[in-house]
Amino acid sequence: TAAPGPKPAAPTRGLRLRVGDHAPQSAVPADTTAAPEAGPVLRPLYMDVQATTPLDPRVLDAMLPYLINYYGNPHSRTHAYGWESEAAMERARQQVASLIGADPREIIFTSGATESNNIAIKGVARFYRSRKKHLITTQTEHKCVLDSCRSLEAEGFQVTYLPVQKSGIIDLKELEAAIQPDTSLVSVMTVNNEIGVKQPIAEIGQICSSRKVYFHTDAAQAVGKIPLDVNDMKIDLMSISGHKIYGPKGVGAIYIRRRPRVRVEALQSGGGQERGMRSGTVPTPLVVGLGAACEVAQQEMEYDHKRISKLAERLIQNIMKSLPDVVMNGDPEHHYPGCINLSFAYVEGESLLMALKDVALSSGSACTSASLEPSYVLRAIGTDEDLAHSSIRFGIGRFTTEEEVDYTVEKCIQHVKRLREMSPLWEMVQDGIDLKSIKWTQH
């Protein structure tokens, strides 16, 4: 019998332990003369589910057979290998459609929400360009939507970028006023990826339908998290991402309405797969994973939402009761609870992120090569530049625990207090000086 080995180290509170054996392994045999492998590696807590979500083990179980045994090309129609993969692909199409109340024939598989957004915006604009040259979107959309619109402007299209209110929600009267006789498409995201604000999608759909304008929504942060029905909400095109709903990366879908039919010009040429709208071999294991993720989301949406709401409330209340001058960005009512964006006045967001090295979070500030620019989403809702620089986004998901939330709160409070004590601005505020009354001179 082998002698008992040393006892594994107890997991440190607030940190996930990764044992060396579970670290990524190389397929090449290790050099036996190399230095011995380091001990267990401590990894930060994960609180950034807006960026990506971990793969649900149930999704991995569904995918594995199609990575090993059922490896046929789903477009091979002459043998059992192709038929097996095709059947799995069509089942996944049904699972995705069921989650959003669509017909399976209206689901087109893509590489993710970025490609879906490109197909929706450029595809509709270019197909109807002979008589319609105008599009409408908002200033707080995802980068891929804004960049698609800018590339269309270079082709001669006219784009209206609607402002949002302080709450982050668009003014429906402004939207109605912006629609022109030659408007082909309105694109408004369902849930904002930075501040979690929910737009009034059903009302926007009603306005677009009454004016005979197609309505596209980037629902990457909303699908599987809040109830969506493309028919009730009068949505004509919808973008979906796999890795935002505990599915695999590298796969997504676009819903394109069949009746009344929405026509899009394909962005890439090829073998005409996916009804000619997205050529290229469909990756069966990935779409099986997307389908499984949608099915799990449909079953657990209500439970997940209740649990995430409680954890979000716990995080916000515990931070706000311990720290003054904390502002929540975005409308607190029309909001998805799993995305919390807080600004900590008199603290630089990047400094706070660096201090919170044992929690994986992201900042509202986007780092550019030349300077630290505050987030364009926070600028659009009218956040002061100093507050925009001090914002942190907290992401709470299906696998987040109470202990992780409490640890994050504890560390956040500790480091904000420490950083404020080092800040001359905080000292001035404590002395009752109004910072806006100060005239700063440049040296």
Short mmCIF file of all heavy atoms in Angstrom, two decimals, residues 318-342:
data_model
loop_
_atom_site.label_atom_id
_atom_site.label_comp_id
_atom_site.label_asym_id
_atom_site.label_seq_id
_atom_site.Cartn_x
_atom_site.Cartn_y
_atom_site.Cartn_z
N ASN A 318 -24.42 46.10 1.43
CA ASN A 318 -23.27 46.01 2.33
C ASN A 318 -22.18 47.01 1.98
O ASN A 318 -21.51 47.53 2.87
CB ASN A 318 -22.72 44.58 2.36
CG ASN A 318 -23.66 43.62 3.08
OD1 ASN A 318 -24.59 44.06 3.76
ND2 ASN A 318 -23.43 42.34 2.93
N ILE A 319 -22.01 47.28 0.69
CA ILE A 319 -21.00 48.28 0.29
C ILE A 319 -21.50 49.68 0.66
O ILE A 319 -20.78 50.47 1.26
CB ILE A 319 -20.68 48.18 -1.21
CG1 ILE A 319 -19.80 46.95 -1.49
CG2 ILE A 319 -19.97 49.45 -1.72
CD1 ILE A 319 -19.44 46.72 -2.96
N MET A 320 -22.77 49.96 0.32
CA MET A 320 -23.29 51.32 0.51
C MET A 320 -23.43 51.69 2.00
O MET A 320 -23.28 52.85 2.35
CB MET A 320 -24.64 51.46 -0.19
CG MET A 320 -24.52 51.34 -1.70
SD MET A 320 -25.23 52.76 -2.52
CE MET A 320 -24.97 52.40 -4.22
N LYS A 321 -23.73 50.71 2.85
CA LYS A 321 -23.88 51.08 4.28
C LYS A 321 -22.53 51.29 4.95
O LYS A 321 -22.45 51.92 6.00
CB LYS A 321 -24.73 50.03 5.01
CG LYS A 321 -24.04 48.74 5.36
CD LYS A 321 -24.99 47.78 6.06
CE LYS A 321 -24.28 46.48 6.42
NZ LYS A 321 -25.19 45.42 6.80
N SER A 322 -21.46 50.77 4.35
CA SER A 322 -20.13 50.93 4.95
C SER A 322 -19.30 52.05 4.32
O SER A 322 -18.32 52.49 4.90
CB SER A 322 -19.34 49.61 4.81
OG SER A 322 -20.03 48.57 5.42
N LEU A 323 -19.68 52.47 3.11
CA LEU A 323 -18.90 53.49 2.41
C LEU A 323 -19.79 54.64 1.96
O LEU A 323 -20.80 54.42 1.30
CB LEU A 323 -18.22 52.88 1.16
CG LEU A 323 -17.09 51.88 1.37
CD1 LEU A 323 -16.71 51.25 0.03
CD2 LEU A 323 -15.88 52.53 2.01
N PRO A 324 -19.43 55.89 2.31
CA PRO A 324 -20.17 57.03 1.75
C PRO A 324 -19.71 57.30 0.32
O PRO A 324 -18.70 56.77 -0.12
CB PRO A 324 -19.76 58.17 2.69
CG PRO A 324 -18.39 57.79 3.18
CD PRO A 324 -18.35 56.29 3.21
N ASP A 325 -20.45 58.15 -0.37
CA ASP A 325 -20.08 58.60 -1.73
C ASP A 325 -19.85 57.45 -2.71
O ASP A 325 -18.85 57.41 -3.41
CB ASP A 325 -18.83 59.51 -1.67
CG ASP A 325 -19.08 60.75 -0.84
OD1 ASP A 325 -20.04 61.48 -1.14
OD2 ASP A 325 -18.33 60.98 0.12
N VAL A 326 -20.80 56.52 -2.71
CA VAL A 326 -20.79 55.44 -3.72
C VAL A 326 -22.04 55.62 -4.57
O VAL A 326 -23.14 55.76 -4.04
CB VAL A 326 -20.78 54.04 -3.08
CG1 VAL A 326 -20.82 52.95 -4.14
CG2 VAL A 326 -19.54 53.86 -2.20
N VAL A 327 -21.88 55.64 -5.87
CA VAL A 327 -23.01 55.89 -6.79
C VAL A 327 -23.22 54.66 -7.65
O VAL A 327 -22.27 54.11 -8.21
CB VAL A 327 -22.71 57.10 -7.70
CG1 VAL A 327 -23.86 57.34 -8.68
CG2 VAL A 327 -22.47 58.35 -6.86
N MET A 328 -24.49 54.21 -7.76
CA MET A 328 -24.81 53.12 -8.68
C MET A 328 -25.18 53.72 -10.04
O MET A 328 -26.02 54.60 -10.11
CB MET A 328 -25.97 52.29 -8.14
CG MET A 328 -26.26 51.09 -9.02
SD MET A 328 -27.49 50.01 -8.28
CE MET A 328 -27.87 48.96 -9.66
N ASN A 329 -24.51 53.27 -11.08
CA ASN A 329 -24.74 53.81 -12.42
C ASN A 329 -25.87 53.06 -13.12
O ASN A 329 -25.92 51.84 -13.08
CB ASN A 329 -23.45 53.72 -13.25
CG ASN A 329 -22.35 54.57 -12.66
OD1 ASN A 329 -22.53 55.76 -12.43
ND2 ASN A 329 -21.21 53.96 -12.38
N GLY A 330 -26.75 53.82 -13.77
CA GLY A 330 -27.86 53.21 -14.50
C GLY A 330 -29.12 53.14 -13.66
O GLY A 330 -29.09 53.27 -12.43
N ASP A 331 -30.24 52.92 -14.33
CA ASP A 331 -31.55 52.88 -13.69
C ASP A 331 -31.64 51.70 -12.72
O ASP A 331 -31.45 50.55 -13.12
CB ASP A 331 -32.64 52.76 -14.77
CG ASP A 331 -34.02 52.99 -14.21
OD1 ASP A 331 -34.45 52.22 -13.34
OD2 ASP A 331 -34.69 53.95 -14.66
N PRO A 332 -31.94 51.94 -11.42
CA PRO A 332 -32.00 50.82 -10.48
C PRO A 332 -33.24 49.95 -10.65
O PRO A 332 -33.27 48.80 -10.21
CB PRO A 332 -32.00 51.51 -9.10
CG PRO A 332 -32.50 52.89 -9.36
CD PRO A 332 -32.18 53.24 -10.78
N GLU A 333 -34.30 50.48 -11.30
CA GLU A 333 -35.54 49.71 -11.49
C GLU A 333 -35.47 48.83 -12.73
O GLU A 333 -35.66 47.63 -12.67
CB GLU A 333 -36.74 50.67 -11.60
CG GLU A 333 -37.01 51.48 -10.35
CD GLU A 333 -37.34 50.62 -9.14
OE1 GLU A 333 -38.14 49.67 -9.27
OE2 GLU A 333 -36.78 50.89 -8.06
N HIS A 334 -35.22 49.46 -13.89
CA HIS A 334 -35.15 48.72 -15.15
C HIS A 334 -33.71 48.25 -15.34
O HIS A 334 -32.93 48.85 -16.08
CB HIS A 334 -35.61 49.59 -16.31
CG HIS A 334 -36.98 50.11 -16.12
ND1 HIS A 334 -37.24 51.34 -15.54
CD2 HIS A 334 -38.20 49.56 -16.40
CE1 HIS A 334 -38.56 51.52 -15.47
NE2 HIS A 334 -39.15 50.44 -15.98
N HIS A 335 -33.41 47.14 -14.67
CA HIS A 335 -32.01 46.76 -14.54
C HIS A 335 -31.90 45.25 -14.38
O HIS A 335 -32.72 44.64 -13.69
CB HIS A 335 -31.46 47.49 -13.30
CG HIS A 335 -30.03 47.24 -13.02
ND1 HIS A 335 -29.62 46.27 -12.13
CD2 HIS A 335 -28.90 47.81 -13.50
CE1 HIS A 335 -28.29 46.27 -12.08
NE2 HIS A 335 -27.84 47.19 -12.90
N TYR A 336 -30.88 44.64 -15.02
CA TYR A 336 -30.63 43.22 -14.77
C TYR A 336 -29.72 43.12 -13.55
O TYR A 336 -28.63 43.70 -13.54
CB TYR A 336 -29.97 42.55 -16.00
CG TYR A 336 -29.49 41.15 -15.68
CD1 TYR A 336 -30.41 40.15 -15.35
CD2 TYR A 336 -28.13 40.85 -15.62
CE1 TYR A 336 -29.99 38.89 -14.99
CE2 TYR A 336 -27.70 39.57 -15.28
CZ TYR A 336 -28.63 38.60 -14.96
OH TYR A 336 -28.22 37.35 -14.59
N PRO A 337 -30.15 42.42 -12.48
CA PRO A 337 -29.42 42.48 -11.20
C PRO A 337 -28.00 41.94 -11.23
O PRO A 337 -27.18 42.33 -10.39
CB PRO A 337 -30.31 41.65 -10.25
CG PRO A 337 -31.15 40.80 -11.13
CD PRO A 337 -31.36 41.58 -12.39
N GLY A 338 -27.68 41.05 -12.16
CA GLY A 338 -26.34 40.45 -12.19
C GLY A 338 -25.24 41.37 -12.65
O GLY A 338 -24.06 41.02 -12.55
N CYS A 339 -25.58 42.55 -13.16
CA CYS A 339 -24.58 43.51 -13.64
C CYS A 339 -24.68 44.79 -12.80
O CYS A 339 -25.64 45.53 -12.92
CB CYS A 339 -24.80 43.82 -15.13
SG CYS A 339 -23.62 44.97 -15.83
N ILE A 340 -23.69 45.00 -11.94
CA ILE A 340 -23.72 46.13 -11.01
C ILE A 340 -22.52 47.03 -11.31
O ILE A 340 -21.38 46.57 -11.25
CB ILE A 340 -23.64 45.65 -9.54
CG1 ILE A 340 -24.78 44.67 -9.25
CG2 ILE A 340 -23.65 46.81 -8.58
CD1 ILE A 340 -24.49 43.71 -8.14
N ASN A 341 -22.79 48.29 -11.61
CA ASN A 341 -21.71 49.23 -11.90
C ASN A 341 -21.73 50.33 -10.84
O ASN A 341 -22.68 51.10 -10.75
CB ASN A 341 -21.89 49.82 -13.31
CG ASN A 341 -20.66 50.56 -13.79
OD1 ASN A 341 -20.20 51.49 -13.14
ND2 ASN A 341 -20.14 50.16 -14.93
N LEU A 342 -20.68 50.35 -10.02
CA LEU A 342 -20.60 51.32 -8.92
C LEU A 342 -19.43 52.27 -9.13
O LEU A 342 -18.35 51.84 -9.55
CB LEU A 342 -20.42 50.61 -7.58
CG LEU A 342 -21.52 49.63 -7.14
CD1 LEU A 342 -21.14 48.98 -5.82
CD2 LEU A 342 -22.88 50.32 -7.01
#
